[in-house]
Amino acid sequence: MKTLTLLRHAKSSWDDPVSRDFDRPLNAKGQRAATVVGKYMRGAGMTFDHVVASPAVRIVETVEHVEQGYGGALAPEWDRRIYLASASSLLDVIHELPAGAGSALLIGHNPGLEDLILTLIPDRAGDTLRDSVEEKFPTAALAVMTFDIDDWGAVRANGGTLAGFIRPRDLDPALGPDGG
């Protein structure tokens, strides 16, 4: 059994005059959301054998704030391929995860993460978690998927189970679209 958790970066700032999208930082709400999600991860007892993340500034800052809430280091492996990657590129990264890792965390961007979830989780009537992801996989959202496999190379379309989906607004209503 393998568990894959996907985390989308927290809300970034469009107000900073950076020359490249890669360099966009988090805004204040994103910083708060990342810390709250980290606290949730700690409270839920989530642990990871391997963490891989995009090196974009908004991801690096998301990791820093998640770690504050989590109370420990995630120590990601920074992988440039994750930056704005498609679902198929993300699947390549997943297939290369260390065989000994039973639980992995991948931190990246949309639309790739949302597309990946919708690819890996079968579309079944009444699956409210998958339906919620399909509606929107917002910033700082966390999705937990399980796969009845022994090797990450065996992760395939429609092969997983969506075990959890948490949005920042589920943890703190002020972090929702209308919150401050």
Side-chain angles (χ1 to χ4, degrees), residues 58-122:
R58 58 192 177 272
I59 300 271
V60 173
E61 291 183 2
T62 295
V63 169
E64 291 169 358
H65 288 277
V66 166
E67 287 174 338
Q68 287 175 15
Y70 188 64
L74 295 175
E77 170 190 321
W78 304 106
D79 190 331
R80 181 85 184 203
R81 295 177 297 169
I82 298 171
Y83 175 66
L84 302 180
S86 67
S88 63
S89 294
L90 293 172
L91 193 53
D92 290 342
V93 172
I94 293 164
H95 286 159
E96 295 172 13
L97 289 170
S103 179
L105 172 63
L106 188 152
I107 309 167
H109 309 262
N110 249 8
L113 290 178
E114 181 177 327
D115 292 344
L116 180 65
I117 297 164
L118 298 178
T119 297
L120 297 178
I121 305 302

Side-chain angles (χ1 to χ4, degrees), residues 12-98:
S12 59
S13 175
W14 290 93
D15 296 334
D16 275 302
V18 295
S19 59
R20 301 183 312 158
D21 173 76
F22 187 89
D23 297 324
R24 260 189 309 117
L26 296 184
N27 66 19
K29 186 175 178 179
Q31 293 170 2
R32 288 193 317 271
T35 302
V36 166
V37 168
K39 288 178 183 175
Y40 168 80
M41 291 165 57
R42 180 182 63 217
M46 298 175 85
T47 59
F48 309 101
D49 301 317
H50 189 77
V51 179
V52 62
S54 161
V57 169
R58 58 192 177 272
I59 300 271
V60 173
E61 291 183 2
T62 295
V63 169
E64 291 169 358
H65 288 277
V66 166
E67 287 174 338
Q68 287 175 15
Y70 188 64
L74 295 175
E77 170 190 321
W78 304 106
D79 190 331
R80 181 85 184 203
R81 295 177 297 169
I82 298 171
Y83 175 66
L84 302 180
S86 67
S88 63
S89 294
L90 293 172
L91 193 53
D92 290 342
V93 172
I94 293 164
H95 286 159
E96 295 172 13
L97 289 170

